[in-house]
Amino acid sequence: MPPPTLIWALLPLRVFLGGTFLYAGLSKILDPHYLDPTSPLGVHAQMLHAATTSPIGPLVSFAAEHATVIGLVIAVGEVAAGLGTLLGLFTRIAATGGFLLALSFFLTVSWTTRPYYFGADIVFAAAWTPLLVAGDAGLFSTTARLRAAIRRRRPPNHAPDDAERRILLWGGLITATAAAISGGVIALSRRTTTNPKPSRPADPGTNSQTVIAAVSAVAVGSSTSFTTPNGSAAYLLRPSTDTFMAFLATCTHQGCPITLAGSGFRCPCHGSTFDGNGQVTGGPATKPLTEVPVRVVDGQITTA
């Protein structure tokens, strides 16, 4: 039995990893773009992009052909790993799942991140290993409580492994309940995708025009955010008196929202940077930002 201080030392890591993976899984489940095969923010598009640089590219390409199923497995797997870790339910199994998920993300999403320590996935994979080895050590452990309760109630003549079978049964019921709740959330979230209008078309422009701002309201050298006619977030820049340009606020690497950084843009997810003309100045992104056509009409800046 490890000293009490060592047992408690794993608790912060448990809370962080469990909470983070639970949040990540629920975020995917509730994201209407995640399972949308036409969305550049969806898991299908991300898999196709990752397959071109991943060391397991053929496997990722195969997974992309079944993106809906694999995407659900990833999301529910993150929820299961998070809940199992937080509740102390089959903690070593949950940690194994979390480790494998983080490792798969490292080999796909953040494989091209340079230097490697800028990518979070390799750190998550390493962070899961203490829980994979030590489990929950009986601290705030649902499995330990189930084992103790079952052993107190079982007849003295029962086989020694009867408690373990009952733990597996109860653990399976708890897992099934969590899976059912996740499935219900998925079903509700998928209802938002019944809108026949594409969630994010490839072409940021439409036949309609949107007034972005008055020319006088945008100073030379400044920028402002706006929403395109199809609902995409974008930035408008005025580098000179007579020049206006706009770009979708989406990184061309993995679809993360970009933020303004000095005279250009930066992706907070994997560190890609772009200059004021939308051109890549730092990877892992390789393509420039998607430009939104704009023009000036009667003193107003509008989408073209």
Side-chain angles (χ1 to χ4, degrees):
M1 183 71 178
T5 53
L6 294 182
I7 295 176
W8 283 91
L10 289 175
L11 188 60
L13 188 62
R14 244 178 87 184
V15 172
F16 173 74
L17 290 175
T20 299
F21 268 59
L22 177 60
Y23 175 76
L26 290 176
S27 296
K28 289 180 175 65
I29 290 171
L30 296 173
D31 184 358
H33 301 295
Y34 180 63
L35 295 179
D36 184 355
T38 66
S39 173
L41 303 179
V43 65
H44 180 257
Q46 293 178 25
M47 286 180 177
L48 290 177
H49 182 85
T52 62
T53 57
S54 171
I56 55 172
L59 181 60
V60 179
S61 296
F62 174 79
E65 297 177 3
H66 311 278
T68 299
V69 174
I70 301 299
L72 286 175
V73 169
I74 291 172
V76 175
E78 287 180 327
V79 170
L83 282 175
T85 302
L86 287 173
L87 299 177
L89 181 63
F90 305 124
T91 306
R92 282 193 176 90
I93 297 176
T96 300
F99 170 79
L100 292 176
L101 285 168
L103 180 62
S104 69
F105 298 152
F106 167 64
L107 293 174
T108 53
V109 177
S110 57
W111 178 255
T112 57
T113 301
R114 297 291 184 273
Y116 75 91
Y117 50 79
F118 279 179
D121 298 315
I122 189 173
V123 180
F124 275 107
W128 278 109
T129 56
L131 297 179
L132 196 156
V133 173
D136 54 40
L139 183 66
F140 301 122
S141 173
T142 301
T143 301
R145 291 177 181 272
L146 285 173
R147 180 178 289 111
I150 291 171
R151 286 178 174 174
R152 282 197 305 267
R153 297 177 183 179
R154 70 174 183 175
N157 296 328
H158 271 224
D161 62 347
D162 180 67
E164 299 303 319
R165 287 197 298 267
R166 290 176 178 268
I167 290 170
L168 288 175
L169 175 62
W170 280 103
L173 290 174
I174 294 173
T175 302
T177 301
I181 294 174
S182 299
V185 174
I186 291 172
L188 290 175
S189 65
R190 297 320 319 146
R191 292 178 60 183
T192 62
T193 64
T194 57
N195 189 336
K197 183 174 64 176
S199 57
R200 190 181 292 260
D203 182 2
T206 65
N207 292 331
S208 61
Q209 296 179 356
T210 296
V211 175
I212 301 172
V215 171
S216 59
V218 184
V220 175
S222 68
S223 61
T224 186
S225 60
F226 68 99
T227 302
T228 66
N230 63 38
S232 301
Y235 285 105
L236 171 73
L237 293 82
R238 188 180 187 180
S240 64
T241 302
D242 299 320
T243 304
F244 296 89
M245 57 180 61
F247 304 97
L248 290 183
T250 302
C251 181
T252 53
H253 173 226
Q254 291 292 334
C256 290
I258 59 171
T259 57
L260 291 168
S263 60
F265 305 89
R266 184 180 184 277
C267 173
C269 295
H270 305 109
S272 298
T273 56
F274 307 83
D275 63 18
N277 294 315
Q279 299 299 311
V280 178
T281 57
T286 58
K287 298 179 180 180
L289 296 176
T290 302
E291 187 171 0
V292 180
V294 296
R295 61 180 179 177
V296 177
V297 180
D298 297 329
Q300 301 289 327
I301 309 166
T302 71
T303 55

